[in-house]
Amino acid sequence: MSIRIGNGQGFWGDWLEAPVRLIEQGPLDYLILDYLAEVTMSILQKQKQADPALGYARDFPPLVGRLAGAIRKRNIKVIANAGGVNPIACAQAVLAAAPDLKVAVVLGDDVFARINEFLAKGYDMGDMETGESIAGIRDRILSANAYIGAFPLAEALATGADVVIAGRCTDTALALAPMIHTFGWAVDDYDKLAAGTIAGHIVECGAQCSGGNCQVDWTSIPDLANVGYPVIEASADGTFIVTKHVGTGGRVNADTVKEQLLYELGNPRQYITPDCVADFTSIQLSDGGPDRVLVSGIYGGPRPPTLKLSISYANGWKAIGTLVYSWPQALEKARAADRIVRARLQSLDLSFDEIYTEFFGVNACHGGVAPANPDPPEVQLRIGVRDQNRKSVDRFTREMIPLVLNGPPGATGFGEGRPPVREIVAYWSALIPRDEIQTRVEVVS
Amino acid sequence: MKRTMHLSEIAHTRSGDKGDTANVGVIALLPEHYPILVRGLTPERVKAFLGDRVKGEVERFELPNLGALNFLLHGALGGGGTVSLRTDAQGKTYGAALLRMEIHVD
């Protein structure tokens, strides 16, 4: 007996049609969706501070409303981290859009209000990369969440809920939870938990394992316009098949799956999650037929005694300005324009933490590795600045477009107008003993 | 028999980010290419090839079960994520850049 888990969204901003097509174009038991990039939590926390009824992904309730009929008729379960920093408000909005569905939330990951408590207990929450003390950013923290794993989500599924809404769980937990729930895997079934985790890693970026962003024979990948988002067919023994609905575009084979396995991977033997440590060097792939890859042989080790905190904080401002120069001498003109902008900024006594220039069409993507391109038909000059002083960054945004009239000849590409000044939200990762995080499941009505 | 080949002839790549570190997965196109990658695509050579685009160290991990190597390029993204001013702040074209590399076959 196997269960079918489809990921309809690799990030908030992914193709809106994907989850609908996953439901409509083939058999499915679980629909999972990822809404939370790291930057999202800080945005949602700000929304909630302005209005206590907000702080969740507002696209999610209307999507559930659109799918409600199919969900009820075919007993499909939906699991999403759309709850952000306000899962209960999200659940209430889902119920308003789909009153016939049962909705449960998972709470306990949001520790924004607990930072002082943790400090008082002696947890220094130093940066995992640099060891820096959190004191330096304490007054600029915008959000703080613990990454929780799959067991609380499985507990929510056990209530019989049609829709499970979490805040900050790991993306892989979304895929692992249905397996724990259906097959009754225990907290020490490390090999199976590792398998479910790796299945989650394969599908967590949506079509990036089913033909999207694939380097091998990409021109022959069929019908990417109708790419099928991935489906895991999971079995109780921890083996699984990666596939997509029959008749959809895209491709699932060893090449597409391997590329996604390697994506955003650190030490492959130590893929650490709240539920286990997975060993990517144990993965065995074999051909399961057209657009079907069988995955087996996975083993893993015990979960760590700590959980990872994802903390976002305000860290200055940035802006990016661009202009385009055409042949002849496109690169020379762009270089001259860059020198002029920098000279004018300097004459205003403006300095920046960083000012960075790229020349598109020449070396923006590959830097010095790219061969020289001596006579390009056009070049885009792109200057970025960042600084803690918003006024400096704001003044920079006024210094590009004047060059159309007072700089080198033939500038264009200014039609988008003065660039916006954006707040930089940076991330801080720290560890906390896992006992400090108590999750709970609530059925919302 | 050729002494050197371009990486693009024997491997495909996928790159991503973890903070200011770019990861590049290098996957052998055919099983017989994997030993060539293991011998020829060393962290030192990758760091030398990428030059000052990578400010920190380069680490390499082996996944023989997948015929793949995973490189971590530290300090490669101009601060990474939202801090970086680069167009490719998330390192999505690093894998393609590595395909230009010449690798010894013998």
Side-chain angles (χ1 to χ4, degrees), chain B residues 1-5 10 32-33 35-41 45 102-106:
Chain B
M1 156 127 155
K2 283 160 77 161
R3 300 281 315 279
T4 65
M5 298 174 86
I10 58 171
E32 52 263 36
H33 295 143
I36 300 172
L37 294 175
V38 172
R39 275 196 309 273
L41 202 60
R45 288 192 182 142
E102 282 200 354
I103 182 165
H104 296 281
V105 173
D106 53 7

Short mmCIF file of all heavy atoms in Angstrom, two decimals, chain B residues 1-5 10 32-33 35-41 45 102-106:
data_model
loop_
_atom_site.label_atom_id
_atom_site.label_comp_id
_atom_site.label_asym_id
_atom_site.label_seq_id
_atom_site.Cartn_x
_atom_site.Cartn_y
_atom_site.Cartn_z
N MET B 1 43.60 9.97 -27.61
CA MET B 1 42.71 10.26 -26.48
C MET B 1 43.04 11.64 -25.90
O MET B 1 44.19 12.01 -25.77
CB MET B 1 42.90 9.14 -25.44
CG MET B 1 42.53 9.54 -24.05
SD MET B 1 41.38 8.47 -23.20
CE MET B 1 41.80 8.83 -21.53
N LYS B 2 42.02 12.40 -25.61
CA LYS B 2 42.22 13.77 -25.14
C LYS B 2 42.88 13.78 -23.77
O LYS B 2 42.58 12.95 -22.92
CB LYS B 2 40.88 14.48 -25.06
CG LYS B 2 40.36 14.92 -26.43
CD LYS B 2 38.86 15.18 -26.40
CE LYS B 2 38.47 16.49 -25.76
NZ LYS B 2 37.11 16.88 -26.15
N ARG B 3 43.75 14.78 -23.54
CA ARG B 3 44.35 14.94 -22.21
C ARG B 3 43.41 15.71 -21.29
O ARG B 3 43.39 15.49 -20.10
CB ARG B 3 45.68 15.70 -22.33
CG ARG B 3 46.73 15.03 -23.19
CD ARG B 3 47.43 13.89 -22.47
NE ARG B 3 47.84 14.20 -21.12
CZ ARG B 3 48.93 14.88 -20.76
NH1 ARG B 3 49.73 15.38 -21.70
NH2 ARG B 3 49.22 15.08 -19.51
N THR B 4 42.71 16.69 -21.89
CA THR B 4 41.77 17.47 -21.07
C THR B 4 40.42 17.55 -21.77
O THR B 4 40.34 17.45 -22.99
CB THR B 4 42.26 18.91 -20.83
OG1 THR B 4 42.31 19.60 -22.07
CG2 THR B 4 43.62 18.94 -20.16
N MET B 5 39.39 17.73 -20.95
CA MET B 5 38.06 17.94 -21.49
C MET B 5 37.43 19.09 -20.71
O MET B 5 37.88 19.42 -19.61
CB MET B 5 37.19 16.70 -21.28
CG MET B 5 37.68 15.45 -21.95
SD MET B 5 36.67 14.02 -21.50
CE MET B 5 35.35 14.13 -22.71
N ILE B 10 31.46 15.98 -19.46
CA ILE B 10 31.37 14.78 -18.63
C ILE B 10 30.48 14.94 -17.41
O ILE B 10 30.30 13.99 -16.64
CB ILE B 10 32.77 14.30 -18.17
CG1 ILE B 10 33.49 15.39 -17.38
CG2 ILE B 10 33.61 13.85 -19.36
CD1 ILE B 10 34.77 14.87 -16.73
N GLU B 32 31.37 6.10 -15.95
CA GLU B 32 32.82 6.09 -16.14
C GLU B 32 33.44 7.48 -15.99
O GLU B 32 34.66 7.60 -15.88
CB GLU B 32 33.20 5.51 -17.52
CG GLU B 32 32.49 6.14 -18.69
CD GLU B 32 31.27 5.33 -19.14
OE1 GLU B 32 30.58 4.75 -18.26
OE2 GLU B 32 31.03 5.28 -20.35
N HIS B 33 32.62 8.51 -15.98
CA HIS B 33 33.16 9.86 -15.78
C HIS B 33 33.43 10.16 -14.32
O HIS B 33 34.19 11.07 -14.00
CB HIS B 33 32.19 10.90 -16.35
CG HIS B 33 32.01 10.82 -17.84
ND1 HIS B 33 30.80 11.06 -18.45
CD2 HIS B 33 32.88 10.55 -18.84
CE1 HIS B 33 30.94 10.93 -19.77
NE2 HIS B 33 32.19 10.61 -20.03
N PRO B 35 35.15 8.64 -11.78
CA PRO B 35 36.54 8.62 -11.32
C PRO B 35 37.37 9.79 -11.87
O PRO B 35 38.28 10.27 -11.19
CB PRO B 35 37.09 7.28 -11.85
CG PRO B 35 35.89 6.46 -12.14
CD PRO B 35 34.78 7.39 -12.47
N ILE B 36 37.05 10.22 -13.08
CA ILE B 36 37.76 11.38 -13.65
C ILE B 36 37.47 12.62 -12.81
O ILE B 36 38.37 13.42 -12.53
CB ILE B 36 37.32 11.61 -15.11
CG1 ILE B 36 37.63 10.39 -15.96
CG2 ILE B 36 37.99 12.86 -15.69
CD1 ILE B 36 37.05 10.45 -17.37
N LEU B 37 36.23 12.78 -12.40
CA LEU B 37 35.86 13.92 -11.57
C LEU B 37 36.58 13.84 -10.22
O LEU B 37 37.12 14.84 -9.73
CB LEU B 37 34.35 13.96 -11.33
CG LEU B 37 33.45 14.20 -12.55
CD1 LEU B 37 31.98 14.08 -12.15
CD2 LEU B 37 33.73 15.56 -13.16
N VAL B 38 36.59 12.66 -9.63
CA VAL B 38 37.19 12.51 -8.31
C VAL B 38 38.68 12.88 -8.35
O VAL B 38 39.19 13.57 -7.49
CB VAL B 38 37.01 11.07 -7.77
CG1 VAL B 38 37.80 10.86 -6.49
CG2 VAL B 38 35.53 10.79 -7.53
N ARG B 39 39.36 12.42 -9.42
CA ARG B 39 40.80 12.69 -9.53
C ARG B 39 41.07 14.14 -9.92
O ARG B 39 41.99 14.76 -9.40
CB ARG B 39 41.43 11.78 -10.58
CG ARG B 39 41.84 10.42 -10.07
CD ARG B 39 42.79 9.74 -11.05
NE ARG B 39 42.29 9.73 -12.41
CZ ARG B 39 41.48 8.80 -12.93
NH1 ARG B 39 41.07 7.78 -12.19
NH2 ARG B 39 41.09 8.88 -14.19
N GLY B 40 40.27 14.65 -10.87
CA GLY B 40 40.63 15.91 -11.50
C GLY B 40 39.96 17.15 -10.92
O GLY B 40 40.50 18.25 -11.04
N LEU B 41 38.79 17.00 -10.31
CA LEU B 41 38.05 18.18 -9.85
C LEU B 41 38.27 18.34 -8.35
O LEU B 41 37.40 18.08 -7.53
CB LEU B 41 36.57 18.00 -10.18
CG LEU B 41 35.72 19.26 -10.27
CD1 LEU B 41 36.24 20.19 -11.36
CD2 LEU B 41 34.27 18.90 -10.55
N ARG B 45 41.67 23.07 -7.27
CA ARG B 45 41.52 23.49 -8.67
C ARG B 45 40.25 24.32 -8.87
O ARG B 45 40.23 25.28 -9.63
CB ARG B 45 41.49 22.27 -9.59
CG ARG B 45 42.84 21.62 -9.71
CD ARG B 45 42.88 20.60 -10.82
NE ARG B 45 44.20 19.97 -10.87
CZ ARG B 45 44.39 18.69 -11.13
NH1 ARG B 45 43.36 17.89 -11.36
NH2 ARG B 45 45.62 18.21 -11.17
N GLU B 102 38.34 23.28 -17.43
CA GLU B 102 39.02 22.17 -18.10
C GLU B 102 39.50 21.19 -17.05
O GLU B 102 39.99 21.58 -16.00
CB GLU B 102 40.21 22.69 -18.90
CG GLU B 102 39.77 23.32 -20.21
CD GLU B 102 40.91 23.40 -21.22
OE1 GLU B 102 42.06 23.06 -20.87
OE2 GLU B 102 40.63 23.78 -22.36
N ILE B 103 39.36 19.92 -17.37
CA ILE B 103 39.69 18.89 -16.39
C ILE B 103 40.58 17.85 -17.06
O ILE B 103 40.36 17.48 -18.21
CB ILE B 103 38.40 18.31 -15.81
CG1 ILE B 103 38.67 17.28 -14.75
CG2 ILE B 103 37.51 17.72 -16.86
CD1 ILE B 103 37.44 16.97 -13.92
N HIS B 104 41.61 17.39 -16.31
CA HIS B 104 42.51 16.39 -16.86
C HIS B 104 41.84 15.03 -16.88
O HIS B 104 41.18 14.64 -15.92
CB HIS B 104 43.78 16.30 -16.01
CG HIS B 104 44.58 17.56 -16.03
ND1 HIS B 104 45.40 17.89 -17.08
CD2 HIS B 104 44.65 18.57 -15.16
CE1 HIS B 104 45.95 19.06 -16.84
NE2 HIS B 104 45.51 19.49 -15.68
N VAL B 105 42.01 14.31 -17.98
CA VAL B 105 41.32 13.05 -18.14
C VAL B 105 42.22 11.86 -17.84
O VAL B 105 41.76 10.81 -17.43
CB VAL B 105 40.76 12.94 -19.59
CG1 VAL B 105 40.19 11.58 -19.84
CG2 VAL B 105 39.69 13.99 -19.79
N ASP B 106 43.54 12.03 -18.01
CA ASP B 106 44.42 10.85 -17.87
C ASP B 106 44.71 10.47 -16.43
O ASP B 106 44.37 11.12 -15.49
CB ASP B 106 45.72 11.08 -18.61
CG ASP B 106 46.38 12.38 -18.21
OD1 ASP B 106 45.89 13.03 -17.26
OD2 ASP B 106 47.38 12.75 -18.85
#
